Amino acid sequence: MQQDTIWASKDEVREFSLPFSRQIVMMLGAFWQSGVRNRVLTYTVALLVVILATVYAQYRLNQWNVPFFNALESRDLSTFIQQLQVFAVIAGSLLVLNVIQAWLNQITALFMREGLARDLINLWLKPGRALKLAHLGAIGINPDQRLHEDARNLSELTTSLAIGLVNSTILLASFVGVLWAISDTFRFSIGGDEVAIPGYMVWAALLYAGLASLLSNVVGRRLPALNADRYAKEAELRFALMRTNENLVAITLARGEENERKRIHGAISTVLHVIRRLALGYTHLTWVSAGFGWLSTVAPILIAAPVYFAGNLTFGGLMMAVGAFNQVNAALRWYVDNFRQIADWKATLMRVSTFRNALTALEKEPQREGIRYSTTGDRTIVLRGLELYAAQGGSSRNHGLRLPSDEVFHPGERLMINGEAGADRRFLFQALAGAWEWGTGEIATPPDGRMLFMPQKGYFPHASLREALAYPFDPAAFQDDRLLAVLDEVGLSPLAAALDLLERWDRKLAEEDQIRLRIANALLIEPDWLVIDDILEGLEEETQRELADVLSRMTDTALIYIGRSPAFEAVTRPRLIHLQPLSFFPSETPPTAPSPRSVRGTS
């Protein structure tokens, strides 16, 4: 298919974006329906127990400050040594708890990634859906980035941030009461008058952390959008590199290295531009996070100093108040300390939820005006009033095609469908497969779906020749004798010894041998209908006649050859159907050019 026919407007892409709250609801719903739910919940409960135990140990450590620092102040050596022993027990317990929590964090993130990745893959690879998604424009570009990098980032960041938030919430609940009790009796003099503020240090901690959070939000408000833009540009760079690597032979023969070098350097420059903007944003954010971080070293001492110097607080009490303040402040400053990760998380959440929403919308989208798909009551294929249009945004020379009359294709029939200049036959090939829906009319196919579609450019999995030959079916369903027979029939008998050889067959085999292997696949599967997209084009005449003869011997299979092949026409003597081009003005949109909707998949 020509790339210039695959396009969607920005409005069509935006329709899959969701408000933040609905993004959360969608992903929670996906998690609840996933197969990893029970395992994640089990590890979550274990994490909660460990976090509670850790907070309790930190609470005891904060209480330990009073006797330890009082012993230092009074130079009480025996109490000092005793408190060191207590510290060893508390610190050792915290070390063990921290190690257990780190392991649980990693395992929980692993299961989260498993559930998310499998959910997205299952939605993406439902019959016909991945190709329809590719027709939706920007949302369908580089799905591998969303399925791999975005899914990994989202699962890991969600686990890390959720655990951190729970830990901070429990810390806050535990130490805010301690800090209130410590500072409830704080009194200090201002101008000779004694002033008491109940919960003095609690209010100070709230004000301190609130100011830090407010400034972080203001300074870093653009980071989520910049992160999302970076992921998109990184995906485009990776695609450019992958595409160049996949076409090294053609590029080298065309002496196109310099052109590709400029193209890839352009993609690198685009990525670097976004990273520079991110670096500037993170630098500005560091003024706030680092500034408040360093200030927190002395802030609690400065806040409690008036009470201490007034003689209303011991040195041990001061250290306990400082420790409780730091715990409360750390809990309240969780948002500030994790703002960069939160921005990254929001960006990945937006990309993954938008991608997932587009996939589910293809399934749930109601029937709209366009090509109608149905099934026939017998084994025929029926085309009624069929007109096909280039997708919105298509080039001015490919506006569409028309089938001049209603057609009925019968089992076992041989047909050749070609057309006049300007009638892009591939629209019809994809429409028959249920993968092209810009147009009007009806396509009715047999209900059992025993149809095999053979596009010009084939696909071979990175697998053994046995698996490639039987694709997409289980090779165990076919005897070796049958596999060898079809290889021999298409002239690939030299490959008989390579059945269990693992190779990239699209690189290992010459183009002609790839076509022979694809025809061998059709012979093995024996479909009721074989729809061919001009695969004989470009082959030597003798090879065309040889392969056309092989196809003609598929007596139980109806052949629909979409294209021009004198050899196929001479050997099979098919019924001929001519397509007529449709012509619109370059700026005119076809009368009905709907975006893709969900249709019945094909085999």
Side-chain angles (χ1 to χ4, degrees):
M1 180 187 308
Q2 295 180 359
Q3 288 297 319
D4 60 6
T5 64
I6 303 176
W7 184 257
S9 67
K10 292 183 178 180
D11 290 336
E12 288 175 313
V13 175
R14 286 197 197 101
E15 70 175 291
F16 300 111
S17 300
L18 295 170
F20 180 70
S21 59
R22 288 190 60 194
Q23 294 175 25
I24 297 292
V25 170
M26 165 182 277
M27 300 314 297
L28 284 175
F31 163 73
W32 196 252
Q33 296 172 6
S34 71
V36 302
R37 180 190 65 190
N38 292 338
R39 282 178 287 174
V40 171
L41 291 177
T42 300
Y43 280 101
T44 300
V45 171
L47 273 167
L48 185 60
V49 171
V50 171
I51 290 172
L52 288 170
T54 302
V55 170
Y56 176 72
Q58 290 173 316
Y59 173 78
R60 293 299 302 270
L61 184 63
N62 186 66
Q63 288 184 320
W64 169 85
N65 281 314
V66 176
F68 179 75
F69 285 104
N70 283 342
L72 279 176
E73 185 180 30
S74 61
R75 295 179 173 82
D76 185 346
L77 181 60
S78 61
T79 303
F80 175 77
I81 293 174
Q82 180 184 2
Q83 291 305 313
L84 284 178
Q85 295 172 342
V86 173
F87 173 80
V89 174
I90 297 175
S93 300
L94 281 170
L95 176 61
V96 172
L97 289 169
N98 288 340
V99 171
I100 294 174
Q101 182 174 334
W103 182 79
L104 290 173
N105 287 0
Q106 297 298 316
I107 295 300
T108 304
L110 182 149
F111 287 133
M112 288 284 287
R113 182 179 181 184
E114 177 187 351
L116 179 58
R118 294 190 190 282
D119 171 73
L120 292 176
I121 291 293
N122 290 340
L123 287 174
W124 183 54
L125 289 181
K126 284 193 175 180
R129 187 176 295 177
L131 184 58
K132 288 195 286 291
L133 182 73
H135 293 165
L136 293 180
I139 192 65
I141 295 175
N142 301 322
D144 56 294
Q145 172 81 11
R146 300 177 193 256
L147 294 165
H148 180 237
E149 287 296 321
D150 292 346
R152 178 183 64 82
N153 287 338
L154 182 59
S155 56
E156 292 178 357
L157 286 171
T158 298
T159 303
S160 174
L161 290 173
I163 291 171
L165 180 58
V166 170
N167 188 62
S168 296
T169 302
I170 295 175
L171 273 175
L172 180 62
S174 302
F175 281 93
V176 74
V178 174
L179 189 60
W180 185 283
I182 293 172
S183 61
D184 189 42
T185 57
F186 276 13
R187 296 175 181 276
F188 47 91
S189 297
I190 298 179
D193 296 326
E194 193 171 74
V195 178
I197 302 176
Y200 162 67
M201 293 197 72
V202 174
W203 299 117
L206 288 172
L207 180 62
Y208 183 82
L211 180 60
S213 298
L214 178 62
L215 288 175
S216 295
N217 199 53
V218 171
V219 173
R221 64 188 182 278
R222 295 182 179 177
L223 289 179
L226 285 174
N227 270 306
D229 194 26
R230 177 187 178 178
Y231 289 137
K233 301 307 179 186
E234 293 275 16
E236 291 172 11
L237 171 59
R238 188 174 65 199
F239 177 76
L241 293 169
M242 180 179 67
R243 183 169 175 80
T244 299
N245 184 59
E246 290 287 334
N247 296 277
L248 287 177
V249 174
I251 292 170
T252 302
L253 295 177
R255 303 294 189 267
E257 291 91 344
E258 180 65 19
N259 184 280
E260 294 304 312
R261 186 185 66 81
K262 290 179 181 179
R263 193 186 313 278
I264 292 173
H265 275 304
I268 292 174
S269 298
T270 303
V271 170
L272 294 178
H273 175 69
V274 178
I275 292 177
R276 286 191 189 95
R277 296 177 64 192
L278 272 171
L280 184 61
Y282 287 138
T283 302
H284 292 160
L285 185 63
T286 303
W287 283 105
V288 178
S289 59
F292 276 88
W294 286 111
L295 185 59
S296 64
T297 304
V298 297
I301 297 176
L302 294 176
I303 293 170
V307 182
Y308 176 75
F309 286 113
N312 296 324
L313 191 64
T314 67
F315 185 61
L318 174 64
M319 291 297 100
M320 182 178 178
V322 169
F325 180 93
N326 284 333
Q327 295 286 6
V328 171
N329 180 58
L332 290 172
R333 287 184 66 249
W334 175 86
Y335 180 75
V336 177
D337 294 336
N338 293 278
F339 191 89
R340 178 171 179 169
Q341 288 81 1
I342 292 172
D344 200 5
W345 173 76
K346 290 177 72 175
T348 54
L349 175 65
M350 178 184 67
R351 284 176 57 82
V352 172
S353 63
T354 302
F355 182 72
R356 191 179 190 278
N357 188 42
L359 290 172
T360 55
L362 288 174
E363 183 177 70
K364 298 176 181 177
E365 197 173 348
Q367 188 87 2
R368 310 189 239 194
E369 185 181 5
I371 301 174
R372 299 183 303 279
Y373 286 88
S374 61
T375 56
T376 55
D378 50 20
R379 297 174 59 223
T380 61
I381 293 178
V382 179
L383 309 180
R384 298 188 183 96
L386 194 61
E387 291 186 357
L388 302 176
Y389 313 133
Q392 186 175 349
S395 69
S396 60
R397 60 187 175 84
N398 278 328
H399 292 299
L401 58 87
R402 172 190 294 113
L403 196 65
S405 62
D406 295 349
E407 296 287 349
V408 178
F409 303 157
H410 299 280
E413 192 173 9
R414 272 72 173 121
L415 301 110
M416 176 179 282
I417 303 176
N418 50 42
E420 302 172 22
D424 194 329
R425 300 182 298 265
R426 291 182 180 85
F427 294 172
L428 178 61
F429 178 81
Q430 295 199 52
L432 287 172
W436 191 266
E437 298 189 51
W438 288 273
T440 59
E442 180 180 1
I443 298 176
T445 54
D448 57 12
R450 282 186 50 80
M451 300 178 67
L452 179 64
F453 292 87
M454 192 178 291
Q456 272 198 336
K457 185 173 179 57
Y459 168 76
F460 299 106
H462 185 204
S464 67
L465 179 63
R466 182 189 306 273
E467 294 174 84
L469 187 55
Y471 187 82
F473 297 102
D474 183 356
F478 304 98
Q479 298 293 329
D480 282 6
D481 290 346
R482 179 59 181 155
L483 298 177
L484 296 175
V486 297
L487 286 175
D488 182 65
E489 193 168 353
V490 297
L492 292 179
S493 53
L495 293 178
L499 277 179
D500 295 309
L501 184 64
L502 183 69
E503 281 286 358
R504 280 286 305 271
W505 298 104
D506 55 336
R507 293 188 175 184
K508 183 72 172 179
L509 299 177
E511 184 176 352
E512 176 185 314
D513 288 339
Q514 291 182 40
I515 294 173
R516 292 178 183 274
L517 184 57
R518 294 168 64 197
I519 292 176
N521 168 256
L523 294 175
L524 186 67
I525 293 173
E526 297 179 319
D528 291 338
W529 295 86
L530 177 58
V531 185
I532 303 170
D533 184 12
D534 208 5
I535 62 168
L536 302 180
E537 181 183 17
L539 298 178
E540 296 289 341
E541 290 186 13
E542 183 179 348
T543 303
Q544 289 194 37
R545 286 194 297 271
E546 177 190 350
L547 295 180
D549 183 62
V550 172
L551 290 169
S552 70
R553 295 199 294 269
M554 298 179 68
T555 54
D556 295 328
T557 298
L559 302 178
I560 303 177
Y561 192 94
I562 301 178
R564 296 180 184 276
S565 172
F568 183 87
E569 184 177 357
V571 171
T572 65
R573 300 191 179 278
R575 176 160 66 95
L576 299 178
I577 298 175
H578 290 273
L579 302 173
Q580 298 176 349
L582 291 174
S583 181
F584 302 99
F585 292 107
S587 61
E588 181 183 351
T589 300
T592 54
S595 60
R597 54 175 169 75
S598 177
V599 298
R600 176 183 57 79
T602 57
S603 0

